[in-house]
Amino acid sequence: MGSGEQTVLQFVPSSTILVARVHPLVVFNICDSYVRRPDQAERIIGTLLGSVLLDGTVDIRNSYAVPHNEFSDQVALDIDYHQNMLSSHQKVNPKEVIVGWFSTGGVTGGSTLIHDFYSREISNPIHLTVDTEFKSGGASIKAYVAINLSLGEQQLAAQFQEIPLDLRMVEVEKIGFDAIKPTNVDKLPSDIEGMEASMKRLLALIDDIYRYTDDVVEGRVAPDNKIGRFISESVASLPKLSPHTFDKLVNDSLQDQLLLLYLSGITRTQLSLAEKLNTAAQIL
C-alpha cells in the first residue's frame, strides 16, 4: 500500500433517537419470564412492542419472551412463535408495533446476531437489557442502539451505544406498583380498597393545592404562573355536577359493578357444575 493511501474506518450511526421510555409492565414481564425460564437457559430474550413518538422517543409498552438457543457462534430463534405472538398482540392492540428486543444480563457475543434479525423486522431497533441477577446491587436497566462500523461501503461490525432511558408509569400502573413494591405483600388490594387509596391520595393533593393557594394569596410564597395555569386548567376540566347528580352517577356505577360481579359468580358456578357433571358422566 502506498504511503499516500489511507484506510478509513468510520462509524455510521443509525437514525437519531432522543430517548427510550419503558413502562413498568415491560420490566415485570421480563422478570417473570426470567423466573420461568428453562433450567438450561442462562438468559432470556424477547420482543419489545410500542410506538415511536413524533419527537423520536421510543415508547416501550409491552413485551413477550421468544424461545431461543445460543451456542458459541450461533443463535436459534423460534421465529414461528415470535410471529404468532406478534399477531395475537396486534389483534388486541393494533397500534403496538415492534420497536426492538430485550435480553436479561448484558450485551454478549450473540447479541449482534439477534439484533441483526430484529433489524430486518424494523429499522434501528432498541436493545433493552435488564440485570435480573442484581449484580450491581439493583435492577440495572439500559437501552442501546447499534452503530455500524464500516470500511468504505463494506460493513464490518456493529457497536452498541447506550441511549437515555426513562422509566415512566401512568396513574393506574403506579397504583399497582405501589401495591407490590413492599417486600412482603399479604394480598393485592380489592377494587374498593384501591379506590379508597386513590381517593385518599386525591384528597391529600387537594389539601396541598389549598395550602399553596393560601400561601400565594397571603404572600408567603412567590406565585408561579405555570402552576397557576395548571391548577386553572385542572379545575376547568372538571364537569359541573350537583351533589345529587354526582351521587347518582356513583351509585349507578357501583350497582353496575355489583351486577357484573353477581353474573360472573353465577357463570363460574355453572362452569364448575358442568365440569363436575361431565367428569361424573365419564366415570359412569
Side-chain angles (χ1 to χ4, degrees):
M1 181 179 295
S3 59
E5 298 180 358
Q6 293 182 345
T7 301
V8 179
L9 296 175
Q10 60 180 356
F11 286 106
V12 182
S14 303
S15 56
T16 304
I17 292 182
L18 299 179
V19 67
R21 182 170 62 195
V22 60
H23 291 255
L25 175 63
V26 177
V27 181
F28 290 142
N29 281 345
I30 295 173
C31 293
D32 181 69
S33 299
Y34 180 77
V35 172
R36 300 172 186 269
R37 74 190 187 283
D39 293 336
Q40 69 276 11
E42 296 183 358
R43 68 169 182 165
I44 62 166
I45 67 170
T47 303
L48 299 175
L49 300 176
S51 61
V52 181
L53 306 182
L54 296 178
D55 61 354
T57 301
V58 178
D59 190 30
I60 306 171
R61 296 191 295 268
N62 210 338
S63 64
Y64 58 86
V66 177
H68 80 293
N69 291 313
E70 290 191 59
F71 308 98
S72 58
D73 58 348
Q74 294 181 346
V75 178
L77 293 176
D78 192 337
I79 299 179
D80 291 337
Y81 179 89
H82 160 69
Q83 293 175 344
N84 290 334
M85 287 294 294
L86 177 61
S87 176
S88 299
H89 274 274
Q90 290 186 331
K91 288 180 181 179
V92 180
N93 297 306
K95 293 184 179 180
E96 290 186 354
V97 297
I98 297 176
V99 294
W101 65 287
F102 70 83
S103 68
T104 57
V107 177
T108 64
S111 298
T112 304
L113 299 175
I114 303 172
H115 197 83
D116 182 63
F117 166 75
Y118 281 94
S119 296
R120 295 194 295 268
E121 297 281 324
I122 60 166
S123 62
N124 200 21
I126 293 287
H127 176 31
L128 186 74
T129 62
V130 179
D131 178 18
T132 51
E133 297 182 357
F134 300 94
K135 294 180 180 178
S136 60
S140 176
I141 306 172
K142 298 181 180 180
Y144 301 88
V145 293
I147 296 180
N148 297 325
L149 175 62
S150 63
L151 174 59
E153 296 182 355
Q154 181 181 4
Q155 179 179 338
L156 300 179
Q159 178 185 13
F160 288 101
Q161 180 180 12
E162 187 175 355
I163 62 172
L165 180 65
D166 187 16
L167 180 62
R168 288 291 182 91
M169 61 183 75
V170 297
E171 185 64 26
V172 176
E173 293 173 330
K174 189 175 186 305
I175 294 173
F177 180 78
D178 291 339
I180 64 176
K181 182 169 58 175
T183 305
N184 297 319
V185 178
D186 295 332
K187 66 182 183 66
L188 292 176
S190 63
D191 293 340
I192 299 298
E193 292 172 343
M195 180 182 294
E196 182 181 2
S198 299
M199 294 303 297
K200 287 182 179 179
R201 185 169 182 272
L202 177 60
L203 291 175
L205 292 175
I206 293 176
D207 289 338
D208 291 340
I209 293 175
Y210 270 122
R211 283 194 296 269
Y212 173 79
T213 305
D214 291 339
D215 290 341
V216 170
V217 172
E218 297 295 333
R220 292 189 293 267
V221 175
D224 189 320
N225 293 333
K226 291 183 178 179
I227 298 178
R229 283 194 296 269
F230 181 78
I231 295 175
S232 177
E233 291 173 357
S234 300
V235 173
S237 64
L238 296 175
K240 296 181 180 179
L241 299 175
S242 64
H244 174 73
T245 305
F246 180 78
D247 290 340
K248 185 176 184 303
L249 288 175
V250 173
N251 291 331
D252 290 345
S253 177
L254 182 60
Q255 290 176 4
D256 292 340
Q257 293 290 337
L258 293 175
L259 179 59
L260 288 175
L261 291 174
Y262 175 73
L263 293 176
S264 62
I266 292 179
T267 303
R268 284 195 298 268
T269 302
Q270 290 179 338
L271 291 175
S272 177
L273 181 60
E275 182 179 358
K276 291 181 179 180
L277 290 175
N278 186 32
T279 303
Q282 291 177 356
I283 295 175
L284 296 176

